[in-house]
Amino acid sequence: MNKPVIIGVIMDPIEHINIVKDSTWAMILAAQKRGWQVRTMQQGDLFTRDGRVFTESRVVKLLPGQEPWLELSDTTSHELSECHAVLMRKDPPFDLEYIYTTYMMELAELQGTLMVNKPQSLRDCNEKFFTTSFPQCAPPTLVTRSEKQLRQFILEHRDCIFKPLDGMGGASIFRVGEDDPNQGVIIETLTQHGTTSVMAQRFIPEISAGDKRILMVDGKAAPYALARIPKAGETRGNLAAGGTGVGLALSERDIWIAEQVGPVLKEKGILFAGLDVIGDYLTEINVTSPTCIRELDTQFDLDIAGDLMDAIEHHLPI
């Protein structure tokens, strides 16, 4: 590659990240090790004028093991397309502002910038609903706003998980049994009295062994998963809900699920994704800002962010 590579990263304020656990830190460091320039920006820094997208950004240099642990340049304004690739690493929520940002990313994409992940796919691939494209991998699943259908699903499967389609970090996930006296209020709350669709899945008891996060780079799975094990009394393994992360080699079923999903991720321009697998079942496909790089790298001496940079370099149009 003849030109110096410039990587843009759309993220929350970098000064506030947890450098021990943050996957975006690993990505920036991996790019920096290649001699690439990394520029960070926030959603509010982007704007369009006359059909072109601009941003304000700062060049970042990470200083591992030092204090302070980063250097930031002064802010400069430039066209987003001056970046050869842009990583969308803004944490949820996935709201209207997020969608507007993908519109701006799409303009720069038309001007030749590689977007990780593709803006259209960020919009199209809801992290819960996307699993319905792989019924052979998922547990019995229902998406509806109908109280009648949700109650029938409970009668059919007896022990179920209900969750909002726009939730994150394990928020508002309910385990609902056939004898649960709170069925009505749970359904009313999640569906907002029948106006909002929710997802119902058969409860998978193997959650006690962990909710496995499998990281996918350019359609291929890392060889190990991070099993997020629920704390006592919980049915959610999310680290944000108090789960503990334990690394595991992929099982044959995990590999099969990754092989089912991987080609579709490649087709949709999703270079980096996180599959959530409980027992033998795919439960979510995270495409917005997947995490767990640092934990897996530390436990198994991997370089997942480096693998991602290799994939980005392969796909760069320069």
Side-chain angles (χ1 to χ4, degrees):
M1 189 166 298
N2 298 321
K3 299 180 182 179
V5 176
I6 302 174
I7 303 293
V9 184
I10 304 171
M11 60 185 299
D12 292 314
I14 191 170
E15 301 92 330
H16 301 156
I17 66 174
N18 180 348
I19 65 173
V20 175
K21 300 178 63 176
D22 196 272
S23 292
T24 306
W25 157 279
M27 294 177 186
I28 294 173
L29 189 60
Q32 182 176 298
K33 287 178 178 178
R34 283 163 170 71
W36 298 353
Q37 183 185 99
V38 181
R39 290 184 164 270
T40 64
M41 61 204 74
Q42 298 179 50
Q43 285 188 116
D45 293 325
L46 276 67
F47 63 97
T48 61
R49 181 162 182 169
D50 301 326
R52 301 188 76 82
V53 58
F54 299 84
T55 189
E56 294 185 342
S57 71
R58 297 179 293 174
V59 177
V60 60
K61 180 180 180 182
L62 300 183
L63 305 170
Q66 299 184 38
E67 188 59 45
W69 48 265
L70 83 168
E71 293 178 354
L72 289 168
S73 73
D74 293 335
T75 299
T76 58
S77 297
H78 56 90
E79 287 198 47
L80 188 58
S81 60
E82 290 183 13
C83 297
H84 299 106
V86 172
L87 308 181
M88 180 48 156
R89 294 294 300 173
K90 171 69 177 68
D91 287 340
F94 186 96
D95 54 15
L96 281 175
E97 280 300 317
Y98 192 105
I99 291 175
Y100 300 153
T101 300
T102 68
Y103 294 155
M104 298 186 197
M105 293 170 62
E106 210 157 39
L107 282 177
E109 184 181 41
L110 291 172
Q111 295 160 20
T113 296
L114 174 67
M115 294 295 168
V116 183
N117 289 314
K118 188 174 180 64
Q120 180 180 342
S121 294
L122 290 174
R123 294 192 298 270
D124 289 351
C125 300
N126 175 275
E127 300 188 332
K128 296 177 176 61
F129 195 88
F130 193 14
T131 61
T132 63
S133 297
F134 306 95
Q136 73 276 26
C137 302
T141 300
L142 169 72
V143 177
T144 184
R145 64 176 67 179
S146 164
E147 178 179 359
K148 178 181 178 181
Q149 291 175 16
L150 289 167
R151 287 186 179 274
Q152 181 60 42
F153 193 82
I154 296 171
L155 286 175
E156 182 178 350
H157 294 289
R158 305 180 67 180
D159 196 356
C160 305
I161 292 292
F162 286 4
K163 51 189 173 183
L165 292 173
D166 62 351
M168 61 175 183
S172 301
I173 293 178
F174 291 88
R175 181 178 177 183
V176 188
E178 60 180 337
D179 298 323
D180 193 326
N182 294 308
Q183 280 186 24
V185 69
I186 290 171
I187 293 171
E188 288 173 6
T189 300
L190 286 179
T191 67
Q192 299 182 46
H193 296 275
T195 64
T196 301
S197 295
V198 301
M199 174 173 280
Q201 292 177 323
R202 186 182 68 195
F203 175 71
I204 306 168
E206 288 84 357
I207 183 61
S208 62
D211 180 353
K212 290 175 285 188
R213 166 63 54 84
I214 301 172
L215 292 179
M216 304 285 292
V217 175
D218 203 12
K220 296 188 180 298
Y224 298 90
L226 191 73
R228 283 99 31 103
I229 300 174
K231 65 181 181 182
E234 264 285 0
T235 57
R236 301 171 299 169
N238 309 71
L239 299 182
T244 302
V246 177
L248 299 171
L250 299 189
S251 68
E252 289 187 9
R253 174 73 176 186
D254 295 335
I255 293 169
W256 179 80
I257 290 173
E259 289 173 345
Q260 299 294 301
V261 179
V264 179
L265 296 178
K266 285 180 67 71
E267 177 186 329
K268 291 181 174 292
I270 300 172
L271 282 184
F272 188 62
L275 312 184
D276 288 351
V277 174
I278 302 175
D280 287 337
Y281 298 102
L282 176 69
T283 60
E284 294 188 19
I285 304 173
N286 295 270
V287 303
T288 52
S289 187
T291 60
C292 298
I293 286 179
R294 301 297 301 282
E295 293 88 345
L296 287 171
D297 280 0
T298 298
Q299 292 188 40
F300 299 106
D301 194 27
L302 303 177
D303 185 14
I304 297 170
D307 295 338
L308 177 60
M309 295 306 127
D310 288 343
I312 288 172
E313 186 168 14
H314 174 73
H315 288 279
L316 283 178
I318 59 173

